[in-house]
Amino acid sequence: MDLFAPLHDFLIGFGYAGTVAWALVKIVPLMLALTIAVAFFTLFERKVIGWMHARHGPVYVGQLVPGLGFIQAFADVFKMLFKESIAPSSANVVLYRLAPLIALAPAFAAWAVVPFGEGLVIADVDAGLLVLLALTSMGVYGVIIGGWASNSKYAFLGALRSAAQVVSYEIAMGFALVGVLIAAGSMNLTAIVLAQDGNAGLFEWFWLPLLPLFVIYFIAGVAETNRAPFDVAEGESEIVAGFHVDYSGSAFAVFFLAEYANMILISVLAALFFLGGWLSPFPESVPLLGVDGPWWLFIKALFFAFCYVWFRATFPRYRYDQIMRLGWKVFIPITIVWIVVVAVMGYLGWFEIGQ
């Protein structure tokens, strides 16, 4: 991060303590920003779904902007933090308390390799794509442990559903990213974005040649985060909220935070992998709009976040067998075929690998 090079050099001069301080300087602001983003995402979701249902959504809490309910999200946070967190008498208390943290840690750790601009990344590792796949697949352990430790048949059924669903769609998601890897010639996320740079703007981005993988990646991401219409792991109308049915207070808030952090992560990654990340869709000759920057990444991610809300307000929940069929019999065969197509395209020079 060249912008903060003087601060880096100053802190590193203090030895090990300075190294820890430098790590915190990078990590703490990102965690705070992500937490605030989750709070506003919940408000955004409630307002958008309200408008889609021809109602207002939150309006009373926070009259800084009339009719917006600006502070409703923070009111919900304080409400959950001050509620009592109760553990069932028959639960495995240690694992019951640990499960939300196991779900939250990978959801936050994955952001370490996500670039918001060229040089604006905590850890610009060469195997960033591999790190993401490893970390995002670990969150399901928190769900499984939480469902099992509750010692409730409803929670355990939700945990089993979630495990099967995540394993199924993790394969399709991984295959979709293999296509991105072939096209970019790198597993570094910054290099993947820069491989989409060119004079043709949005037609240089990977969404066009990798369109089937693009669609499958995002839908698989919706399934990975257990969101509607793939929310059988929660299944409010069937198994009384699924794996976190016995959680309340701050423990439930942590599960909630992990889910929404993962939703934002999938939205940002879809923009990075397929829509050019922080690259502008306009030529450089266009004043203001032709300038690359993190704001373009946020705009693109906001579109995918809107799609999450749109799906929830539009589609009914799929049956469990339909979800499994879609993952194993539709998505995986399509991704395998398109990987071969992308490999042929790369061999014929379609992608300027290593530019």
Side-chain angles (χ1 to χ4, degrees):
M1 300 176 69
D2 297 335
L3 184 63
F4 301 102
L7 178 60
H8 169 266
D9 296 339
F10 172 75
L11 291 176
I12 293 301
F14 291 94
Y16 178 75
T19 303
V20 173
W22 173 242
L24 292 177
V25 165
K26 295 188 291 183
I27 294 171
V28 172
L30 178 60
M31 293 182 64
L32 290 176
L34 183 58
T35 304
I36 294 173
V38 168
F40 279 108
F41 190 11
T42 60
L43 176 62
F44 171 76
E45 179 179 24
R46 295 173 70 178
K47 294 297 287 188
V48 171
I49 291 180
W51 294 331
M52 288 183 174
H53 292 169
R55 52 187 175 82
H56 295 292
V59 292
Y60 294 111
V61 183
Q63 291 296 328
L64 297 176
V65 180
L68 186 58
F70 188 73
I71 310 179
Q72 180 67 53
F74 299 99
D76 292 338
V77 171
F78 288 123
K79 178 190 69 174
M80 286 190 288
L81 290 179
F82 286 106
K83 276 189 173 182
E84 184 179 2
S85 183
I86 303 171
S89 58
S90 59
N92 185 317
V93 179
V94 175
L95 293 179
Y96 180 84
R97 300 296 188 192
L98 192 60
L101 299 178
I102 296 175
L104 181 67
F108 273 67
W111 286 90
V113 297
V114 175
F116 298 95
E118 194 167 359
L120 291 175
V121 58
I122 292 179
D124 192 22
V125 296
D126 291 334
L129 190 61
L130 190 61
V131 172
L132 276 174
L133 286 173
L135 288 174
T136 53
S137 63
M138 289 177 62
V140 70
Y141 289 107
V143 173
I144 295 173
I145 292 173
W148 179 83
S150 298
N151 200 19
S152 164
K153 56 187 175 183
Y154 296 115
F156 189 51
L157 179 58
L160 291 178
R161 284 181 173 186
S162 179
Q165 182 172 309
V166 169
V167 168
S168 301
Y169 285 87
E170 190 79 29
I171 300 172
M173 179 181 287
F175 281 165
L177 295 183
V178 169
V180 174
L181 170 61
I182 295 172
S186 174
M187 286 195 293
N188 181 280
L189 269 67
T190 300
I192 289 174
V193 174
L194 296 179
Q196 302 175 63
D197 196 5
N199 296 327
L202 60 88
F203 295 105
E204 294 279 351
W205 300 345
F206 288 158
W207 70 271
L208 187 58
L210 306 183
L211 184 59
L213 301 183
F214 172 34
V215 174
I216 288 174
Y217 175 81
F218 184 64
I219 295 177
V222 176
E224 283 278 300
T225 50
N226 295 321
R227 290 287 297 184
F230 302 96
D231 58 340
V232 292
E234 299 177 8
E236 293 92 341
S237 59
E238 307 168 32
I239 51 176
V240 211
F243 62 91
H244 51 51
V245 63
D246 291 313
Y247 282 89
S248 61
S250 58
F252 176 79
V254 171
F255 266 129
F256 195 80
L257 178 60
E259 179 179 314
Y260 276 77
N262 280 322
M263 291 165 58
I264 298 174
L265 178 64
I266 292 296
S267 300
V268 171
L269 292 180
L272 288 171
F273 291 140
F274 299 98
L275 288 185
W278 58 84
L279 301 178
S280 170
F282 300 97
E284 294 181 0
S285 58
V286 179
L288 297 179
L289 294 178
V291 179
D292 299 334
W295 48 87
W296 284 114
L297 177 61
F298 298 147
I299 291 172
K300 296 168 186 175
L302 183 61
F303 166 74
F304 291 111
F306 171 76
C307 289
Y308 265 104
V309 179
W310 190 7
F311 294 163
R312 178 180 175 183
T314 306
F315 296 105
R317 181 183 303 126
Y318 288 139
R319 293 198 315 267
Y320 180 74
D321 62 303
Q322 292 173 326
I323 291 177
M324 292 295 105
R325 186 187 311 117
L326 181 66
W328 289 99
K329 295 186 177 181
V330 179
F331 281 2
I332 292 177
I334 291 176
T335 52
I336 292 174
V337 170
W338 209 256
I339 286 173
V340 176
V341 173
V342 173
V344 173
M345 293 165 66
Y347 178 78
L348 297 176
W350 185 290
F351 308 105
E352 297 180 17
I353 296 177
Q355 63 176 346

